[in-house]
């Protein structure tokens, strides 16, 4: 009996791993929660993309609810979501940009060409702050409250549908609380 079990053990282990992989593939990557939900934006000291001589830190973040958008000029989906970010900025929605693993010159040219929806742009060429945020890739958007606490994470290009269904109601709740 033990000999039969030993013979089939590798097969059982392979089937178990395949089952776990199959379950994982059924998950929507946009629904992956961040470990930082309910925690403050990690402490940082990074350059200001648009004023390279200036350093930014947590005290520079807006003192009202805002979006923290992780983007890069190299990122196709960042280009797709950019017009919508411009719409949000025109509606007085504060957006902080985190320029992720990008060359500063390319990022500045991107904003010059397509417009700048950001209240401020944190330069993160090495991905240090993004790593502390747990960024999987660009674009990602975090909803942050007036105290700098992360309340929601959206992975992928932000669009009107996701904004109206999920982020806007949460954003409005944060603005309603004093």
């Amino acid at each position: 009996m033990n000999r039969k079990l030993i013979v089939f053990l590798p097969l059982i282990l392979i089937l178990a791993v395949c089952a776990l992989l199959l379950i994982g593939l059924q998950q929507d990557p946009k629904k992956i929660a961040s470990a930082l939900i309910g925690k403050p934006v990690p402490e940082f000291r990074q350059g200001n993309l648009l004023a390279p001589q200036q350093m930014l830190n947590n005290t520079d973040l807006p003192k009202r609810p805002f979006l923290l958008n992780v983007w890069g000029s190299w990122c196709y989906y960042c280009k797709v979501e950019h017009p919508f970010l411009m719409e949000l900025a025109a509606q007085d929605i504060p957006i902080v940009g985190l320029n992720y693993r990008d060359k500063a010159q390319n990022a500045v040219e991107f904003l010059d060409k397509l417009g700048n929806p950001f209240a401020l742009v944190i330069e993160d060429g090495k991905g240090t702050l993004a790593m502390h945020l747990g960024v999987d890739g660009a674009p990602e958007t975090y909803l942050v409250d007036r105290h700098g606490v992360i309340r929601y994470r959206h992975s992928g290009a932000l669009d009107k549908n996701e904004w109206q269904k999920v982020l806007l109601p949460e954003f409005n709740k944060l603005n309603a609380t004093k």
Side-chain angles (χ1 to χ4, degrees):
M1 178 83 172
N2 286 342
R3 179 172 257 168
K4 286 182 182 180
L5 183 62
I6 291 173
V7 169
F8 287 108
L9 188 59
L11 179 62
I12 293 169
L13 289 173
I14 290 171
L15 289 174
V17 169
C18 288
L20 290 173
L21 287 173
L22 187 61
I23 290 168
L25 290 173
Q26 302 296 321
Q27 304 297 317
D28 183 352
K30 293 181 182 180
K31 302 292 184 199
I32 298 170
S34 170
L36 292 181
I37 300 295
K39 295 180 182 170
V41 172
E43 292 289 323
F44 67 92
R45 182 169 161 73
Q46 308 273 130
N48 181 338
L49 180 73
L50 302 178
Q53 68 284 359
Q54 178 188 19
M55 297 302 287
L56 300 171
N57 62 46
N58 295 66
T59 61
D60 296 304
L61 296 174
K63 304 301 182 237
R64 62 184 248 200
F66 67 94
L67 300 177
L68 175 60
N69 180 259
V70 179
W71 68 282
S73 65
W74 48 265
C75 165
Y76 171 78
Y77 290 105
C78 298
K79 292 174 187 157
V80 169
E81 84 172 350
H82 195 81
F84 184 67
L85 295 180
M86 293 295 290
E87 286 180 36
L88 292 178
Q91 297 170 33
D92 197 33
I93 305 294
I95 308 170
V96 172
L98 178 63
N99 183 240
Y100 175 58
R101 293 189 177 257
D102 206 349
K103 292 181 179 175
Q105 181 180 350
N106 294 348
V108 170
E109 288 172 4
F110 178 96
L111 295 177
D112 286 345
K113 182 179 178 184
L114 300 177
N116 182 1
F118 304 117
L120 65 107
V121 187
I122 303 165
E123 194 277 321
D124 194 24
K126 294 181 181 174
T128 306
L129 179 54
M131 181 183 68
H132 293 300
L133 280 167
V135 169
D136 292 327
E140 283 189 16
T141 303
Y142 296 82
L143 178 58
V144 182
D145 71 16
R146 72 181 75 246
H147 306 291
V149 176
I150 298 168
R151 297 297 174 189
Y152 184 80
R153 172 185 171 250
H154 173 77
S155 180
L158 185 60
D159 59 25
K160 193 171 196 168
N161 184 47
E162 184 72 14
W163 171 252
Q164 289 180 337
K165 282 186 174 179
V166 181
L167 277 99
L168 181 58
E170 292 301 316
F171 185 79
N172 288 337
K173 282 184 207 173
L174 293 176
N175 273 317
T177 58
K178 298 292 176 188

